[in-house]
């Protein structure tokens, strides 16, 4: 009996899947030859010896083939399931079923997850101290928490521009730099304290955000991204070349440290420890900086959540969905874009001011395009518009490479000569690619609606053709 077309389809599909997996393995081979196939080790004397590692290349290519094959098979199964479900026609009861205003499971999980994230962040220094047995030994984890919260704050600030207003900004690091240099120059030149410079840094960054907003009012999509990218590079080049003010490539050093509302963290009689009857410990300043950035990040989150419920927040979301429809509704798109840029830039300036006071030294090398890419990746991977998603993505983006530093278990797979520290960014990049394949809308793709109806309300009979509500 002759085979029908439907019988021949699975074989052809499987062949296409195998060819695609083989092509991916071939691409992986092309990438592995210049990057992994040879390792340069010290030889006799001062010579260097190239050590081939074709076994490692073969393992990586085989893993690429297997992962791509499994992915295509799972995607094929998902498409078949969707096609089967779409073939079912909805019943009349489903078409006329009333819709409630209660948040769904994903929205409730996002709200609970954000609360849990805040609870863990508040107790992190205590948990790290209990786990290590000493506050000094917990410094690594507290410093890591400070770095994570800094990127969480930057992600929440950029989320206003990208996630809520839908404006692609590739130069967000420029506002980060403006805030950092504002505090550094004001404190070193005029002797102003951190608490005076903090709002000024946010104000200056917000003004620069408005200056960026004016030229890009008519731009969208790729053109907007190019202009914002150029703006970030312009700020960096100005910081490098304006040596009389910014110090050029040498940066600004000896930046004054933050005080506890005027009380320095020193060992003398006027210090923080003596004032509160504590034994002096240099970790007091580190813990204070941790809770300072935590408070700044929480303020950013609360302001963002509050603004989403106000008319300006709903105007941002309308602009994100359709700018033409937004204009037809009478919304002033000029003011909407400028407020998004200004507020997002202000929070970036606050984070930059904290960065300067924590480091004690800043230079243009700290504000490259890579920082903007990392912050934008945090927003996109977490889920644009999702506060909890941005927080989780910041933890993964910042803490992930740190955790990959010590992957001793991989030596059992790749051999004793395998150094996880050399491949941590590669492994992390593969994890990001896999996540974007399986979760293209981000980790948390659901967002809490700006306006919800807590109760179902009947419609007046005068407004329906049936004559009843």
């Amino acid at each position: 009996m002759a085979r029908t077309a439907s019988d021949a389809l699975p074989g052809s599909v499987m062949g296409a899947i195998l060819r695609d997996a083989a092509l991916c393995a071939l691409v992986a081979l092309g990438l592995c030859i210049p990057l992994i196939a040879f390792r340069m080790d010290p030889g006799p004397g001062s010579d260097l010896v190239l050590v081939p590692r074709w076994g490692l290349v073969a393992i990586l290519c085989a893993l690429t083939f297997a992962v791509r094959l499994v992915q295509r098979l799972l995607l094929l199964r998902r498409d078949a399931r969707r096609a089967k479900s779409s073939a079912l026609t909805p019943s009349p009861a489903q078409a006329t079923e009333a819709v409630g205003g209660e948040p769904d499971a994903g929205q409730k999980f996002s709200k609970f997850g954000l609360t849990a994230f805040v609870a863990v962040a508040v107790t992190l220094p205590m948990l790290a101290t209990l786990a290590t047995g000493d506050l000094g030994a917990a410094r690594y984890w507290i410093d890591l928490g400070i770095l994570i919260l800094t990127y969480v704050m930057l992600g929440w600030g950029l989320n206003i521009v990208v996630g809520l207003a839908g404006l692609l900004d590739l130069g967000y690091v420029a506002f980060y730099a403006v805030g950092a240099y504002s505090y550094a120059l004001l404190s070193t030149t005029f002797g102003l304290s951190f608490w005076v410079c903090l709002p000024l840094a946010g104000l200056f960054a917000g003004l620069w955000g408005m200056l960026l907003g004016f030229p890009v009012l008519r731009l969208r999509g790729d053109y907007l991204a190019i202009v914002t990218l150029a703006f970030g590079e312009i700020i960096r080049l100005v910081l490098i070349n304006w040596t009389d003010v910014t110090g050029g490539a040498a940066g600004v050093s000896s930046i004054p440290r933050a005080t506890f509302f005027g009380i320095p963290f020193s060992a003398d009689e006027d210090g923080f420890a003596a004032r509160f009857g504590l034994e002096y410990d240099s970790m007091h300043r580190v813990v204070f900086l941790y809770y300072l950035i935590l408070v700044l990040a929480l303020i950013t989150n609360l302001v963002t959540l509050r603004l989403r419920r106000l008319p300006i927040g709903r105007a941002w979301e309308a602009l994100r969905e359709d700018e033409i429809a937004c204009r037809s509704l009478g919304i002033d798109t000029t003011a909407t874009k400028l407020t998004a840029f200004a507020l997002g830039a202000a929070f970036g300036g606050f984070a930059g001011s904290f960065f300067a006071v924590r480091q004690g030294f800043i230079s243009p090398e700290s504000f490259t395009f890579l920082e903007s890419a990392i912050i934008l990746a945090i927003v996109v991977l977490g889920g644009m518009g999702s506060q909890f998603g941005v927080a989780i993505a910041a933890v993964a983006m910042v803490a992930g490479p740190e955790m990959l530093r010590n992957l001793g278990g991989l030596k059992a797979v790749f051999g004793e000569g395998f150094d996880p520290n050399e491949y941590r960014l590669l492994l992390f990049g593969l994890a990001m690619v896999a996540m974007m394949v399986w979760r293209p809308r981000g980790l948390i793709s659901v967002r809490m609606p700006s306006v919800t109806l807590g109760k179902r309300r009947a419609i007046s009979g005068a407004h329906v053709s049936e004559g009843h509500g």
Side-chain angles (χ1 to χ4, degrees):
M1 181 180 292
R3 297 180 62 186
T4 62
S6 60
D7 294 330
L9 182 61
S12 62
V13 171
M14 191 63 191
I17 292 176
L18 290 174
R19 287 193 297 271
D20 182 71
L23 180 61
C24 290
L26 184 63
V27 172
L29 176 62
L31 294 175
C32 288
I33 289 177
L35 297 177
I36 301 176
F38 296 95
R39 179 174 179 174
M40 195 171 291
D41 290 341
S46 59
D47 297 335
L48 296 176
V49 179
L50 286 177
V51 179
R53 297 186 295 180
W54 295 109
L56 179 59
V57 172
I59 292 175
L60 292 177
C61 292
L63 287 176
T64 303
F65 179 86
V67 170
R68 183 61 174 176
L69 180 64
V70 172
Q71 178 205 355
R72 289 296 303 272
L73 291 175
L74 292 178
L75 290 177
L76 182 65
R77 181 180 178 184
R78 183 198 65 182
D79 294 340
R81 186 166 58 250
R82 288 181 177 178
K84 183 178 179 181
S85 62
S86 62
L88 301 176
T89 57
S91 63
Q94 292 175 335
T96 58
E97 184 179 359
V99 179
E102 295 295 331
D104 60 12
Q107 295 166 352
K108 292 180 179 179
F109 172 75
S110 180
K111 186 176 181 180
F112 169 76
L114 187 59
T115 304
F117 175 82
V118 173
V120 172
V122 170
T123 58
L124 177 63
M126 293 177 284
L127 295 176
T129 303
L130 292 175
T132 57
D134 181 63
L135 184 60
R139 175 158 189 172
Y140 170 79
W141 298 105
I142 298 176
D143 285 336
L144 182 60
I146 292 174
L147 186 61
I148 291 173
L149 289 174
T150 303
Y151 279 96
V152 168
M153 183 177 178
L154 290 170
W156 280 341
L158 184 60
N159 196 31
I160 296 177
V161 184
V162 178
L164 298 183
L167 303 171
L168 184 57
D169 189 355
L170 293 180
Y172 191 71
V173 72
F175 312 120
Y176 190 38
V178 169
Y181 271 88
S182 296
Y183 170 69
L185 296 177
L186 290 174
S187 61
T188 56
T189 305
F190 301 101
L192 299 180
S193 68
F194 171 76
W195 303 106
V196 175
C197 295
L198 179 64
L200 292 178
L203 178 62
F204 293 152
L207 290 176
W208 278 103
M210 293 186 66
L211 291 178
L212 172 63
F214 277 109
V216 301
L217 288 176
R218 297 180 179 271
L219 300 179
R220 286 180 292 177
D222 299 337
Y223 301 100
L224 176 62
I226 293 172
V227 172
T228 54
L229 172 62
F231 178 78
E233 287 301 302
I234 289 172
I235 294 295
R236 187 178 67 86
L237 293 176
V238 168
L239 295 177
I240 292 176
N241 295 306
W242 200 4
T243 56
D244 294 338
V245 176
T246 64
V252 181
S253 59
S254 302
I255 300 175
R257 295 180 174 180
T259 60
F260 185 76
F261 301 100
I263 304 175
F265 292 92
S266 58
D268 53 20
E269 297 179 354
D270 297 331
F272 176 83
R275 288 283 188 93
F276 292 92
L278 303 174
E279 184 179 355
Y280 173 75
D281 192 339
S282 60
M283 283 298 297
H284 291 162
R285 186 183 70 89
V286 179
V287 175
F288 168 73
L289 291 176
Y290 175 83
Y291 282 107
L292 175 60
I293 187 58
L294 176 60
V295 170
L296 291 176
L298 292 179
I299 291 175
T300 305
N301 179 50
L302 292 176
V303 171
T304 303
L305 294 178
R306 179 59 180 167
L307 288 176
R308 284 194 60 187
R309 297 179 178 270
L310 296 178
I312 184 60
R314 281 175 272 172
W316 289 338
E317 293 182 334
L319 179 68
R320 177 192 63 201
E321 300 301 330
D322 195 325
E323 183 174 350
I324 297 177
C326 183
R327 290 180 178 177
S328 67
L329 293 174
I331 298 176
D332 187 356
T333 56
T334 299
T336 303
K337 289 183 179 181
L338 290 180
T339 52
F341 273 115
L343 287 172
F347 289 122
F350 293 144
S353 179
F354 173 81
F355 174 78
V357 78
R358 177 187 175 235
Q359 295 294 112
F361 166 78
I362 57 173
S363 68
E365 296 301 321
S366 301
F367 309 104
T368 60
F369 169 72
L370 181 60
E371 292 297 317
S372 288
I374 292 175
I375 301 169
L376 182 62
I378 288 173
V379 176
V380 175
L381 295 178
M384 292 191 295
S386 172
Q387 299 293 96
F388 177 56
V390 169
I392 295 301
V395 174
M397 289 285 293
V398 179
E402 293 296 326
M403 297 297 102
L404 290 175
R405 287 183 183 273
N406 301 312
L407 291 179
L410 294 179
K411 292 184 179 181
V413 179
F414 298 106
E416 291 296 328
F418 179 78
D419 186 5
N421 198 30
E422 294 181 0
Y423 303 97
R424 60 189 182 92
L425 292 180
L426 175 63
L427 296 175
F428 189 65
L430 292 176
M432 289 176 57
V433 171
M435 199 219 72
M436 291 306 296
V437 170
W438 300 110
R439 302 286 298 181
R441 296 183 60 186
L443 290 172
I444 308 296
S445 58
V446 294
R447 296 186 295 266
M448 293 293 292
S450 300
V451 179
T452 58
L453 297 177
K455 298 180 180 179
R456 296 179 180 178
R457 299 181 179 180
I459 304 174
S460 173
H463 296 154
V464 293
S465 59
E466 290 84 0
H468 60 82

